[in-house]
Amino acid sequence: MLVVGMLYYQPVNAEASPSATQTLEAEVEPTVAIAAEWAGGGNNSTIILSDLAADNMERSWSGGSGGEQVHSYSNVAIDLYVRAAGDLTNGSNTISLDLLKYADYGASVSKTSFTTEYVRVLLGWDPPSQGGRVTVPVDLFLTVPFATPPGVYTTTIYHAAVQENAEQPTSP
């Protein structure tokens, strides 16, 4: 039996090398990523417009580092859209959504009332340098009608981005 086992034994010899080479491939997918910021409050911070008089006069807040701004961290060109959830509300009291407006977006977007449907405000917004971000200011305007009851009125502002020339967003 021992002789048979030795006949089938085949030693394996491997030569060592001082180096080894392999190709590595890492495929980076298109990424669409944005954030909105209010007055240095951090990404997706609450927009706080305070000390407003019910005087039927339009107030404005310039966009940028001291106001509203949108950042893109995308690695492809994007189209940026904006909308609001609806009227500003405080219980059963409301301020009509058409009295809340936006402008600029770094592209001289004209002053426009928010709507509940997405509206494109930037087309083909180029991506930032690798590891960075690009930012656009958003000017805001609000008129509080005469005799509006006091209180905190709220709505939600949505910014949505899609890869350039893709279908318009439908949610959130």
Side-chain angles (χ1 to χ4, degrees):
M1 292 291 221
L2 184 57
V3 173
V4 173
M6 291 179 71
L7 291 175
Y8 289 102
Y9 173 73
Q10 296 181 6
V12 177
N13 293 325
E15 290 189 36
S17 172
S19 65
T21 304
Q22 293 176 289
T23 300
L24 179 136
E25 292 181 5
E27 183 177 349
V28 176
E29 297 294 323
T31 302
V32 175
I34 62 168
E37 178 181 3
W38 172 253
N43 287 348
N44 305 321
S45 51
T46 300
I47 299 169
I48 300 173
L49 310 179
S50 57
D51 301 325
L52 303 175
D55 59 5
N56 211 42
M57 300 207 34
E58 184 176 81
R59 301 285 191 280
S60 64
W61 295 264
S62 295
S65 60
E68 179 71 356
Q69 53 189 353
V70 177
H71 310 291
S72 174
Y73 304 91
S74 303
N75 66 358
V76 293
I78 62 172
D79 294 341
L80 182 67
Y81 292 80
V82 67
R83 76 176 184 91
D87 292 338
L88 289 82
T89 61
N90 175 16
S92 62
N93 300 314
T94 63
I95 298 173
S96 177
L97 185 57
D98 65 332
L99 298 175
L100 179 62
K101 300 174 182 174
Y102 61 85
D104 196 2
Y105 284 93
S108 300
V109 171
S110 299
K111 188 188 317 182
T112 306
S113 292
F114 278 91
T115 67
T116 57
E117 299 293 321
Y118 276 112
V119 175
R120 186 172 59 201
V121 289
L122 284 177
L123 172 64
W125 189 11
D126 289 329
S129 300
Q130 185 178 4
R133 71 180 187 192
V134 289
T135 302
V136 293
V138 181
D139 297 340
L140 295 173
F141 306 86
L142 179 62
T143 301
V144 179
F146 291 125
T148 298
V152 176
Y153 290 74
T154 63
T155 190
T156 302
I157 305 298
Y158 297 95
H159 283 97
V162 296
Q163 190 166 348
E164 183 178 19
N165 296 319
E167 261 187 56
Q168 175 175 324
T170 56
S171 66

